[in-house]
Amino acid sequence: MAEKKEKLSAFKALKLSFGALKLLWGKHPMMVVTKLCESVFHSLTPYVNIYLSALLIGELSSGRDLKRLLTIAGFIVGSELLISVMSKGIEMWKTYHITDIWQQLEKLYVDKFMNMDYPDVDSAEIQGLWSHIKQLKNWRGNSFMYLNNAVCDLVSAVTGIFGAVALSVGLFVSKTSTGSVIGAYLDSPVFILTLISVMVLSSVVPPVLQTKASGYRTRYSEMAKFGNRSFGFYFYGRHLNRAVDIRMYDQQDMICSVADKIPTYTTDSEIAKWARGPMGLLHVAASAVSGFFTVCVYLFVCLKAYAGAFGIGQVTQYIGAVSSLSGSVKKLIGTLGNIKVEAEFLEPNFQFLSIPNAMYQGSLTVEKRRDRKYDVEFRDVSFKYPGTDTYALRHVNIKFNVGERLAVVGMNGSGKTTFIKLLCRLYDPTEGEILLNGINIRKYDYREYMNIFSVVFQDFKLFSFSLAQNVAASVNYDSERVISCLKEAGFADRLETLPNGIETGIYKDFDEEGVDVSGGEAQKIALARALYKDSPFIVLDEPTAALDPVAEYEIYSKFNEIVGDKTAIYISHRLSSCRFCDKIAVFDNGSVVQMGTHDALVSDEDGKYHELWYAQAQYYTEGK
Ligand code: ADP
C-alpha cells in the first residue's frame, strides 16, 4: 500500500516543466501570454503605490507645499484608478482566453484513450496509472495549469525584484548626516554587506524550508494511492449504482466500513503525524526566520532615518520596498521549489500521454471484393494477456471461408471471446499468426482491417445519442437503412412505441425525452448496429443472452436471412442454437478440441461437445 517513490532529478524536473510549457503554448499561446501579462502587472503595481505614498508623507512631514501636495494626491488618485481599471481589463482578457483551456486539457486525455492501442486500454497497469492521475487531479488540480501558474509566479517574482531594487537602492547608498558613531557604523560598507547577507539569507531560508515541507506532501501522494481509491469509492458514490444489491444483501455496513478504513484522511495518517512533527516544524522555522528579517529591516531603516540619512517619507518607501524585495525573492525560490515538486505530479501525466502506439499498423489495403471472398486462418496461434503468465489460447488452428457460419462453443473461460478479440486484431497473438486470404493480418491497414468486422460483444455499450445515431454509429445516417436494420434485429414493435421514432434519444443524459431500454432491447439495437455496418464478417458473442425466448426464436428463425452472404461467427452457450451453423469449433482450456458439424460432433461420445450437449439436453428431456 505505501510505496516509496524515487526522487526526481533537477534535470528531469526541468525537462518535464519545459515539456508542460511547450504543451500549453502549443494548445493555447494566448492563455500563456495573458496570464504572464497579468502576473507582471500585479507584481509591479504595488511599487507605484509605495513610491507615491512615500512622496506624499515626505511632503506632509517637510515642505507642506499645497500645490505639490495636490499634485501628488492627484497622481495617487489617477494611478489608483488606472491600475484598478487595467487590472480588471487584464483579468477579463485572461479569463476570456483561459475559458477553453480546461476543456482542451481534458480532451488530451480523452483523445489519448480513444486512440491508444486496445491492449493498453485494457491493461491493468494503464488503468492504474489513469486512476492515479485522476486522484492527483482531485487532490491538487490540473498539473499543467499548476505549472503554468508557477511559471507566472516566477516571472512576477523576477519583475518584483527589479521593482523593489529600484526603490530600495537609496536605503543602502544614502549617508547619515549626524556624524554620530551609530551613523558611521550604519554607513560602513561592512555593515551594509552584513545586512544584505542577512536579507539574502532570510529570503532564501524560509522558502527552502517550505519546499522541504512540501516534499512531505509529494511523498504522501504515492502513499495515499490506496486511501484515495477508497475515498473515491465511498465519498464519490461509486457504490450508488449498485443500490439494489446493497439493499438485497444488506450491504450498507460493509460499504460503510470502507470509510472507516480510509487511512489517508485520519489523524492517524502519516501526513497528520508529519504535520504535527517535521512538516509543522519546518513551517514554524520558516515563519520565525521571516519574522527575524522584518525586525532587522525596521531597525535598520528607523536607525538610518534617525541618523538623518533620509526623511520620514523614505522610511515608508524603504520599508515597503525591502519587504517586497524579500517577498519577491522568497516567491522566486519558493516557486522554483514548487516547480520541482510539481514536476513529480507532471510525470505520471506525461507517462500517460506518451504511451506509444506500439501495435504494428500495417499498410496493405484490404481488398474490397464484390464476392466477399475472404478466408481466414488461425495458424498455431497462442496468446497470453499482457501482464499474465497463463495462456488464454494455446496452439489454435482454425480455417474458415466466406459465407460460412461458424459456431464457437465451450465452457466459461475456455477462450471463445479471446479468439474473437484476436481475430478482430484487438490484440496480436503472442505466438503463431492469423491470415486473411493468405496474408498475415498485421500487414493490413489497421483501420481498414477492423472495418471488415461487425461484432456484437457480450458487454457491448450503447451511447446517449439518438436511436438512429446508435445504429449508424455516426452523427449522420441513412434513415431507411436504420429502420430496416432495426426491423431485421426484431426491434420493429418497440420502434412503433418510441415518441420520436428513430430520433428518440437513448437514455436521458442529453435528452429529457430519452428512453431507457431493457437488456434485450439494447441487444437488438446492438445487433442492428452490426447489421448497419454491413461488414463481410459478422461476429455475435452470445447475441441472444438477454432476449426472451420468443425474441430469441425470431432471431434464429431468420438468422440466415439476417446474415445474408456474410461470414458469421457465432458464440453461444446454448448449443441447440448452434445447430444451424456449418461448422462448430469446440473450445476447451484455450484450445480447439473439436471441429465439425453438429451431427458429427454429437455422435462422438467421448468428445467435449457430446458432454456439453447432453449436460444441457437433460433439462429438456428428463421430464419426457
Ligand atoms: P470465454 O469467452 O470462453 O468465457 P475468455 O476468452 O473471456 O473466455 O477468457 C479466456 C481466459 O482468459 C480466461 O481464463 C480469462 O480469465 C482470461 N482473460 C480474459 N480476459 C482477460 C484480460 N483482459 N486479462 C487477463 N486475462 C483475461
Side-chain angles (χ1 to χ4, degrees):
M1 176 182 121
E3 300 156 40
K4 203 157 184 203
K5 195 171 185 278
E6 253 184 54
K7 269 195 150 185
L8 206 64
S9 71
F11 176 71
K12 184 126 194 248
L14 208 66
K15 213 171 138 199
L16 285 166
S17 306
F18 271 120
L21 271 186
K22 210 170 134 196
L23 183 142
L24 283 172
W25 181 261
K27 283 273 144 211
H28 210 323
M30 277 315 281
M31 187 279 298
V32 179
V33 169
T34 50
K35 268 196 77 78
L36 278 175
C37 284
E38 190 186 36
S39 304
V40 171
F41 185 76
H42 284 308
S43 68
L44 289 179
T45 45
Y47 297 115
V48 177
N49 206 310
I50 292 175
Y51 179 71
L52 290 175
S53 305
L55 275 185
L56 187 69
I57 294 170
E59 190 57 39
L60 280 171
S61 62
S62 54
R64 299 175 74 88
D65 179 300
L66 187 63
K67 204 170 151 213
R68 273 181 63 82
L69 276 173
L70 283 176
T71 314
I72 297 169
F75 269 113
I76 291 178
V77 172
S79 65
E80 279 297 321
L81 208 68
L82 191 68
I83 286 171
S84 70
V85 169
M86 282 184 70
S87 167
K88 240 333 166 227
I90 292 177
E91 188 192 325
M92 288 299 112
W93 185 39
K94 177 205 75 181
T95 308
Y96 169 76
H97 283 293
I98 212 170
T99 311
D100 68 346
I101 188 74
W102 304 105
Q103 195 169 319
Q104 290 201 34
L105 288 176
E106 290 304 321
K107 198 167 173 293
L108 277 179
Y109 298 91
V110 179
D111 287 351
K112 184 72 198 172
F113 248 130
M114 298 253 218
N115 296 306
M116 200 180 270
D117 286 345
Y118 179 76
D120 287 330
V121 179
D122 207 25
S123 116
E125 196 190 330
I126 305 287
Q127 289 292 342
L129 177 63
W130 175 232
S131 112
H132 182 45
I133 290 171
K134 280 196 292 188
Q135 285 155 22
L136 288 179
K137 223 185 290 175
N138 283 340
W139 191 35
R140 300 176 48 94
N142 186 296
S143 285
F144 291 104
M145 288 308 281
Y146 200 99
L147 186 100
N148 191 47
N149 292 344
V151 170
C152 290
D153 284 348
L154 207 67
V155 172
S156 98
V158 172
T159 44
I161 289 171
F162 279 119
V165 167
L167 285 192
S168 57
V169 165
L171 170 64
F172 301 98
V173 297
S174 59
K175 300 278 179 223
T176 58
S177 59
T178 54
S180 64
V181 181
I182 295 183
Y185 191 61
L186 290 174
D187 290 340
S188 81
V190 176
F191 181 78
I192 289 174
L193 275 179
T194 314
L195 189 83
I196 291 177
S197 311
V198 171
M199 263 179 68
V200 171
L201 270 180
S202 46
S203 304
V204 170
V205 173
V208 169
L209 295 178
Q210 272 158 355
T211 306
K212 245 186 144 33
S214 305
Y216 281 94
R217 290 203 169 273
T218 320
R219 255 165 76 187
Y220 198 58
S221 88
E222 280 297 308
M223 297 170 76
K225 270 185 185 174
F226 174 77
N228 279 336
R229 258 180 232 170
S230 319
F231 191 92
F233 172 78
Y234 186 75
F235 290 105
Y236 296 149
R238 283 193 204 130
H239 46 81
L240 295 181
N241 58 355
R242 292 153 200 162
V244 174
D245 296 273
I246 290 175
R247 280 157 188 75
M248 286 306 297
Y249 294 98
D250 208 10
Q251 289 172 311
Q252 292 87 342
D253 288 344
M254 189 180 102
I255 305 284
C256 290
S257 70
V258 174
D260 303 334
K261 283 193 208 131
I262 297 172
T264 323
Y265 304 104
T266 66
T267 45
D268 283 335
S269 65
E270 286 297 313
I271 193 85
K273 286 184 199 155
W274 289 337
R276 211 176 40 189
M279 200 166 89
L281 274 178
L282 285 167
H283 279 299
V284 169
S287 299
V289 175
S290 292
F292 172 70
F293 167 74
T294 312
V295 171
C296 290
V297 170
Y298 269 88
L299 260 178
F300 179 62
V301 174
C302 291
L303 281 174
K304 258 197 129 165
Y306 176 72
F310 40 75
I312 198 88
Q314 263 84 0
V315 171
T316 350
Q317 174 177 328
Y318 294 145
I319 287 183
V322 175
S323 302
S324 296
L325 179 62
S326 151
S328 296
V329 174
K330 267 189 224 159
K331 191 169 170 183
L332 179 75
I333 295 162
T335 308
L336 284 172
N338 281 347
I339 289 180
K340 176 134 193 290
V341 170
E342 200 47 41
E344 307 248 5
F345 295 107
L346 277 173
E347 203 184 15
N349 288 276
F350 274 118
Q351 207 181 329
F352 179 82
L353 292 173
S354 56
I355 294 169
N357 282 80
M359 270 180 109
Y360 184 69
Q361 294 296 302
S363 55
L364 275 187
T365 319
V366 178
E367 215 182 333
K368 289 197 178 56
R369 303 180 65 122
R370 279 242 176 127
D371 58 0
R372 299 198 172 207
K373 186 132 189 56
Y374 297 99
D375 61 67
V376 174
E377 183 182 356
F378 273 58
R379 200 177 277 173
D380 202 21
V381 169
S382 298
F383 177 70
K384 285 183 203 168
Y385 279 97
T388 64
D389 293 329
T390 43
Y391 280 96
L393 288 185
R394 198 85 178 107
H395 300 302
V396 171
N397 287 292
I398 281 193
K399 195 167 180 179
F400 51 95
N401 300 318
V402 70
E404 271 187 350
R405 276 92 175 96
L406 173 75
V408 177
V409 302
M411 313 236 284
N412 280 341
S414 57
K416 304 182 296 290
T417 304
T418 308
F419 165 71
I420 300 301
K421 285 185 175 166
L422 259 62
L423 173 67
C424 303
R425 252 208 106 190
L426 290 174
Y427 290 95
D428 281 330
T430 314
E431 291 151 32
E433 55 180 356
I434 304 169
L435 310 168
L436 172 73
N437 291 348
I439 296 172
N440 191 321
I441 58 172
R442 283 161 51 90
K443 296 195 176 145
Y444 290 107
D445 176 89
Y446 190 68
R447 282 191 182 272
E448 266 196 42
Y449 180 75
M450 281 226 162
N451 263 338
I452 64 170
F453 294 96
S454 296
V455 190
V456 183
F457 282 110
Q458 276 182 61
D459 55 353
F460 66 86
K461 293 279 181 291
L462 299 180
F463 294 97
S464 304
F465 293 105
S466 73
L467 172 62
Q469 287 171 335
N470 265 288
V471 171
S474 157
V475 178
N476 304 311
Y477 49 85
D478 171 346
S479 304
E480 274 178 30
R481 233 175 94 205
V482 167
I483 294 171
S484 112
C485 291
L486 282 167
K487 283 184 178 161
E488 274 187 81
F491 197 78
D493 291 346
R494 180 71 170 108
L495 182 58
E496 303 224 321
T497 66
L498 294 180
N500 298 315
I502 57 168
E503 311 289 340
T504 307
I506 301 291
Y507 311 131
K508 296 186 190 294
D509 303 55
F510 304 134
D511 181 357
E512 281 176 18
E513 286 184 35
V515 294
D516 283 314
V517 286
S518 71
E521 287 164 351
Q523 202 156 35
K524 289 176 185 173
I525 298 172
L527 185 58
R529 178 173 63 185
L531 296 174
Y532 188 97
K533 193 174 172 191
D534 194 26
S535 307
F537 286 83
I538 183 157
V539 183
L540 307 173
D541 190 350
E542 287 287 341
T544 57
L547 299 188
D548 57 59
V550 177
E552 187 180 20
Y553 171 76
E554 272 175 25
I555 296 278
Y556 289 141
S557 57
K558 54 180 187 177
F559 193 80
N560 273 331
E561 189 189 320
I562 291 177
V563 168
D565 60 352
K566 298 179 180 70
T567 306
I569 301 168
Y570 176 70
I571 300 182
S572 181
H573 283 297
R574 237 159 295 187
L575 301 196
S576 58
S577 58
C578 302
R579 284 203 290 195
F580 61 85
C581 292
D582 306 312
K583 261 191 214 167
I584 301 172
V586 187
F587 275 72
D588 190 29
N589 254 330
S591 300
V592 180
V593 289
Q594 281 181 294
M595 181 103 171
T597 61
H598 168 77
D599 293 338
L601 292 176
V602 86
S603 57
D604 178 0
E605 291 187 10
D606 299 326
K608 187 83 191 165
Y609 189 82
H610 184 273
E611 177 194 328
L612 294 171
W613 175 261
Y614 281 99
Q616 273 185 355
Q618 63 172 322
Y619 296 112
Y620 302 105
T621 53
E622 256 173 11
K624 278 189 186 169

